[in-house]
Every structure is written in C-alpha cells, then in structure tokens.
Amino acid sequence: MSNRLVFSLLCAALIIFMGASVIQGAVDIPLSTLWAVEGSREESLRYILLHIRLPRAVAAVLVGGSLALAGAAMQGLFRNPLVDPSIVGIMSGAALAVSLSIVLLPPALVALLPFDADYVLPLSAFIGGWLSTSLLYALARRNGQLHVAIMLLLGIALAAFTGALTGLLTYLADDQQIRSLTFWSMGSLASFDWVKVAILLTILCFAIPLLLKEARALNAMMLGEHIATHLGFDIKKSKSRLILMVALLSGVCVAFSGGIAFIGLVVPHIMRSIIGANHRLLLPASALCGGLLLLLADLFARVIVAPAELPIGIVTAIIGAPFLAWLVWQKTTKGIT
C-alpha cells in the first residue's frame, strides 16, 4: 500500500466517522436539522449539534492527534517503541499540577491573574508535564548517554509518586474538588466547548511545524546520538525543543480531557508498521490515526451504554493495555531489550 493511499484512507475515515460521531449518541440527530427553519425541537437539536456534538468530535480528533504526535516524538527521542507520555509519568505529572491548581489555588487568586481563568489549568498542566519530562531525561542520563531501561523504570516510579500525591490531594479535597479530580482520573471529552477547541487547535498548529522541522534530527537519532552529531545535528537543542513540544501537547490534553492513556503508545507503533520509521511521514500519519482512534473510542463510549456514557480513559485503557502486553511479549520473544 502506497503512503499516499494510506494518508487518503486516514483522511476519508476521519471525515466519515466525524459525521457519524456528530449524528450518533443518546439521541440520533439528522444533519438536516441544521437547515430546519423553525420549531422548538429543531432549535434544541441544532444547539446540541453545533455546541455539544460538533466541538466534541473536533476535540476528539485534536486530542487524539496531539497524544499520538507526542508519543511518536517521544519514541523517536528515546529510540524505544515502548515509550509513551502516560507510561513514563509525563501525563501523571501534568495531572498532579492540575490537581494542585484545583485544590490549592484559591479562586480569588485565580481571579487576580493577568489572563483568563480558562488558561490556568492548561498552563499548570504544561508546567507539570515539562518538569516531569525534564526530570526524567536528566535522571536517565549517565556519562552523557541515555539509558532506556533506567528511563522506563524511573518513569514508572515517577508515575507512582505523582499518582500518590494526586491521591493525597483527592483526600484533602472538598466535594466539588473531588468531582473535578474524578474527571481527570478517568478522562472525558464532555467539557469541550469552542473556546477550548480553539486553544487546543492553536497549540497544535504551533507544535506540528516545529515537530516536523525536527523530523530529520529524529531520523538521525535512530542511528545513535554520536552519529547524529557527526551528521551535523545539534542533538542537545533538538532534544530540548522536542521535550518542550511533547510537554506542551501532553499537558494541554491532560488539562482539557484528563488522563487518556495509551493513544501515544498504540498509534505510532501501528503507523510505523504500515509506512515505516521515517518521521517526516510517521509524525503526520500518527496525528491522523490518533485522531481517528480517539474519535472511534469516544463514539463507542457514548453509544454502548446510551443514554449514559463510559469514561473514555477506560475505553483507551482496554485497547492499550493488551496492546502493551503484546508488544512486550513480542520484543521479549525476539530477544530485544
């Protein structure tokens, strides 16, 4: 299958399932409602379409694309297909920062900040994700070399530690704060509106060109850091920019949608097996496939137990956990460490 055909199929599937996601749910809504001229029922259905279903479907594509993009960049950076922002503690670090903001920041202080309150949680999540990534990267280096096994173990320890602190904050929280924290722990796209979609789209439009600019450096890193340096790449600066972009994408996704795990692990691995390891193709293909996968997961979560809905983090974990086990088993069978 040619790469052009793969991209065409991904784009076509995204359009088809976005349409399905918009009209399917607890109440099926025909698209003809958009052009209905009168009637209170049509008005309410039109409001659901334009202000609930459509922003949620767009958000699923953007969040899934961002997480898959961050996962592909991390796997290239650490030269390991087992790396994912959720596995190595980046998302839990961002979630801890968001939890600190919810529980410890008084509303009066938030009101005094020089920017809108909608930006407090994304900014907190970005700082938490960036600190977690930088700490993990610094601790995993020995004598100038990055040790992947150490990095994975430290990432698991970091995730456990930040998870414990988040649990402590949950214990200290009041009823309203506990409801907010429960949202972060299970993941949901229900809170998205057009303002949050615009923020996420802006960050994604900022991050994609910068990550694509680093694609050649990521390809060179696959040969080893010393070879990449000899090829003329400034590896230290490339890594700093990649870590910043991964923290930005993961942090904002956690801030708006909570802990949606495994998209960054599963999608890059699938796309790498289809189109190869060239990051100039792998990064955009992962973004498209990640958006498609989360769109399907959200549609499943809303339809399978309608009129209620499953937390989307549970759906992605059901998909991702067996996939991770299969991946580890496959690598062990092949004798790769």
Side-chain angles (χ1 to χ4, degrees):
M1 185 183 299
S2 69
N3 293 332
R4 181 172 296 182
L5 180 59
V6 172
F7 278 94
S8 299
L9 289 176
L10 286 173
C11 291
L14 265 179
I15 294 171
I16 292 171
F17 285 106
M18 273 197 73
S21 178
V22 167
I23 63 176
Q24 295 293 323
V27 178
D28 293 343
I29 304 176
L31 286 175
S32 59
T33 303
L34 281 175
W35 292 274
V37 292
E38 60 182 12
S40 58
R41 183 176 181 275
E42 283 73 17
E43 285 293 332
S44 62
L45 293 180
R46 186 184 298 137
Y47 180 86
I48 294 174
L49 266 176
L50 294 179
H51 297 283
I52 297 177
R53 295 271 180 89
L54 191 55
R56 181 168 180 154
V58 176
V61 174
L62 296 179
V63 171
S66 299
L67 293 176
L69 199 57
M74 280 203 71
Q75 291 175 11
L77 176 63
F78 290 103
R79 302 198 302 279
N80 193 302
L82 294 176
V83 177
D84 164 64
S86 63
I87 292 177
V88 296
I90 297 174
M91 293 184 70
S92 56
L96 173 61
V98 170
S99 302
L100 285 168
S101 300
I102 292 174
V103 178
L104 299 183
L105 272 184
L109 178 60
V110 174
L112 293 176
L113 293 176
F115 45 83
D116 194 278
D118 285 339
Y119 297 93
V120 173
L121 295 185
L123 182 61
S124 301
F126 165 67
I127 294 173
W130 176 71
L131 288 176
S132 299
T133 311
S134 301
L135 178 64
L136 181 67
Y137 184 76
L139 293 177
R141 287 181 70 86
R142 294 288 188 280
N143 300 320
Q145 295 294 320
L146 184 68
H147 296 263
V148 175
I150 294 175
M151 181 269 299
L152 287 174
L153 293 174
L154 286 174
I156 293 170
L158 181 63
F161 180 68
T162 53
L165 291 181
T166 302
L168 177 62
L169 289 170
T170 305
Y171 176 77
L172 297 174
D174 58 29
D175 290 344
Q176 177 61 39
Q177 292 167 341
I178 285 176
R179 281 193 286 273
S180 298
L181 291 172
T182 302
F183 158 75
W184 300 112
S185 65
M186 292 192 290
S188 173
L189 300 173
S191 70
F192 267 94
D193 54 24
W194 286 116
V195 174
K196 293 177 180 176
V197 167
I199 294 172
L200 187 55
L201 181 61
T202 302
I203 291 174
L204 197 56
C205 290
F206 169 73
I208 285 179
L210 294 178
L211 285 174
L212 289 177
K213 192 176 178 182
E214 300 297 332
R216 292 180 64 242
L218 284 170
N219 290 340
M221 284 184 211
M222 294 172 63
L223 303 173
E225 293 185 16
H226 290 299
I227 296 177
T229 303
H230 288 306
L231 290 174
F233 293 99
D234 190 336
I235 298 302
K236 189 174 181 180
K237 288 185 178 178
S238 290
K239 286 181 175 178
S240 298
R241 289 191 286 264
L242 285 166
I243 288 173
L244 191 66
M245 290 301 104
V246 168
L248 183 62
L249 290 171
S250 304
V252 175
C253 288
V254 170
F256 287 151
S257 58
I260 298 177
F262 293 110
I263 295 291
L265 169 71
V266 173
V267 172
H269 194 77
I270 293 173
M271 295 316 302
R272 194 179 293 110
S273 66
I274 296 175
I275 65 170
N278 184 350
H279 286 84
R280 297 179 69 179
L281 297 175
L282 179 63
L283 291 173
S286 296
L288 289 173
C289 187
L292 177 61
L293 183 60
L294 195 59
L295 191 64
L296 291 173
D298 182 56
L299 182 60
F300 177 81
R302 289 191 291 112
V303 171
I304 192 67
V305 292
E309 68 176 63
L310 287 174
I312 196 170
I314 293 176
V315 178
T316 57
I318 289 174
I319 299 171
F323 185 86
L324 176 61
W326 171 79
L327 197 59
V328 172
W329 175 82
Q330 187 187 44
K331 288 175 70 68
T332 305
T333 302
K334 292 180 178 178
I336 301 173
T337 60

